[in-house]
């Protein structure tokens, strides 16, 4: 019976298989690309899973890890990214942003899962090197949702010149609508949130070469690039205090 339950569990998405606790910070994080002391209480998580493209040739081509914290107003992310080429070739931040170097944060505020490609039951924030965040709206067009977050990154002055990328993210209910008054959720202990992190890496090609993520995704017809469509592939986090 135990074996059967384990085998059955393998059929579920990473939302079931990946769960983590996120610690509270009493000190708000300054979003400046510099690691505050408060980050020491958070544990590093890795981004080893190929979601699209091919695997990087080396750790210097791409490797990444991240930490999470929270307070009543924000979910805080610190990512440390090794990327030997930074590329932003599209002047319009709503055009083909996934083919530039982009940090992609997937958020499902109530971990309800399901389709979110053209609705706001979840978000796939594609944050470009200009710190603007794009995603699709219900009109099936790309929009900027930069007001939902604060984002800054800096390069280290020493080899391998890693980026420290910090983001403070506001969470919104499933009934969020375009151009409505900005009323984000207040975060509370034991809240469960759907979450996944990814990085689009382009070293000079017409399209990204690597799309690496924090969670293993079961492919659908060979396709693992499911996060921008289906929030059920996200992992789950629980806010702890």
């Amino acid at each position: 019976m135990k074996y059967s339950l384990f085998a059955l569990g393998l059929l579920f998405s990473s939302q079931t298989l990946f769960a983590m606790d996120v610690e509270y910070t009493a000190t708000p994080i300054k979003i400046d690309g510099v690691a505050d002391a408060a980050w020491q209480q958070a544990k590093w998580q890795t981004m080893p899973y190929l979601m699209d493209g091919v695997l990087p040739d080396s750790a210097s081509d791409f490797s990444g890890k991240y930490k999470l914290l929270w307070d009543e107003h924000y979910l805080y992310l610190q990512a440390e990214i090794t990327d030997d080429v930074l590329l932003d070739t599209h002047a319009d931040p709503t055009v083909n942003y996934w083919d530039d170097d982009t940090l992609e944060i997937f958020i499902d505020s109530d971990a309800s899962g399901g389709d979110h490609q053209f609705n706001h039951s979840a978000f796939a924030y594609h944050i470009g090197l200009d710190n603007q965040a794009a995603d699709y709206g219900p009109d099936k067009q790309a929009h900027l949702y930069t007001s939902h977050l604060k984002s800054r990154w800096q390069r280290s002055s020493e080899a391998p010149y890693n980026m420290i990328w910090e983001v403070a993210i506001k969470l919104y209910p499933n009934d969020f609508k375009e151009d409505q008054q900005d009323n984000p959720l207040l975060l509370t202990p034991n809240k469960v949130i759907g979450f996944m992190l990814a990085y689009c890496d382009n070293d000079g090609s017409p399209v990204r070469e690597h799309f690496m993520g924090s969670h293993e995704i079961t492919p659908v017809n060979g396709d693992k690039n499911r996060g921008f469509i289906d929030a059920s592939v996200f992992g789950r986090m629980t806010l702890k205090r």
Side-chain angles (χ1 to χ4, degrees):
M1 179 62 69
K2 289 183 178 179
Y3 179 81
S4 297
L5 289 175
F6 176 76
L8 182 62
L10 292 178
L11 299 177
F12 287 99
S13 71
S14 62
Q15 181 172 329
T16 300
L17 296 178
F18 185 95
M20 64 183 296
D21 293 340
V22 178
E23 297 299 324
Y24 177 83
T25 175
T27 304
I29 303 295
K30 183 178 180 181
I31 305 301
D32 57 3
V34 177
D36 296 350
W39 283 114
Q40 295 177 11
Q41 66 182 304
K43 296 180 180 179
W44 286 114
Q45 308 289 335
T46 58
M47 302 170 61
Y49 298 108
L50 182 67
M51 299 166 68
D52 194 22
V54 297
L55 285 168
D57 293 333
S58 64
S60 62
D61 185 5
F62 169 80
S63 58
K65 57 184 181 179
Y66 67 98
K67 294 180 176 183
L68 295 164
L69 291 169
W70 71 280
D71 65 17
E72 289 80 3
H73 302 288
Y74 294 102
L75 177 67
Y76 296 104
L77 168 77
Q78 180 196 100
E80 183 174 325
I81 303 296
T82 302
D83 185 1
D84 55 357
V85 177
L86 294 183
L87 196 69
D88 187 355
T89 60
H90 298 88
D92 186 338
T94 64
V95 173
N96 285 42
Y97 42 80
W98 53 85
D99 286 326
D100 291 328
D101 284 316
T102 304
L103 188 69
E104 187 168 357
I105 302 173
F106 301 87
I107 295 287
D108 181 5
S109 64
D110 63 355
S112 57
D115 175 80
H116 72 97
Q117 185 174 9
F118 300 121
N119 65 73
H120 294 316
S121 63
F123 284 92
Y125 294 117
H126 300 72
I127 307 175
L129 295 178
D130 61 358
N131 292 298
Q132 296 193 82
D135 192 14
Y136 275 97
D139 60 358
K140 300 185 179 181
Q141 301 297 314
H143 298 269
L144 290 179
Y145 298 97
T146 309
S147 64
H148 291 201
L149 52 83
K150 302 176 184 177
S151 169
R152 292 291 183 274
W153 60 271
Q154 284 197 48
R155 285 272 207 183
S156 167
S157 60
E158 299 179 357
Y161 307 106
N162 291 346
M163 304 164 64
I164 296 294
W165 201 325
E166 292 186 311
V167 189
I169 310 138
K170 293 183 283 189
L171 272 63
Y172 291 86
N174 286 353
D175 61 356
F176 174 86
K177 294 180 176 59
E178 307 294 323
D179 301 321
Q180 74 176 28
Q181 186 176 356
D182 190 356
N183 290 316
L185 298 170
L186 286 178
L187 304 185
T188 56
N190 300 316
K191 181 174 178 58
V192 179
I193 299 166
F195 172 83
M196 188 166 66
L197 182 67
Y199 188 84
C200 305
D201 184 24
N202 191 324
D203 295 331
S205 300
V207 297
R208 63 191 178 196
E209 290 97 346
H210 323 299
F211 186 33
M212 302 297 295
S214 59
H215 297 57
E216 181 66 73
I217 293 178
T218 301
V220 175
N221 297 323
D223 180 21
K224 290 188 176 184
N225 184 15
R226 306 295 302 169
F228 75 101
I229 298 172
D230 184 6
S232 299
V233 305
F234 299 0
R236 286 189 175 188
M237 66 170 71
T238 302
L239 306 183
K240 294 296 184 179
R241 187 171 184 178

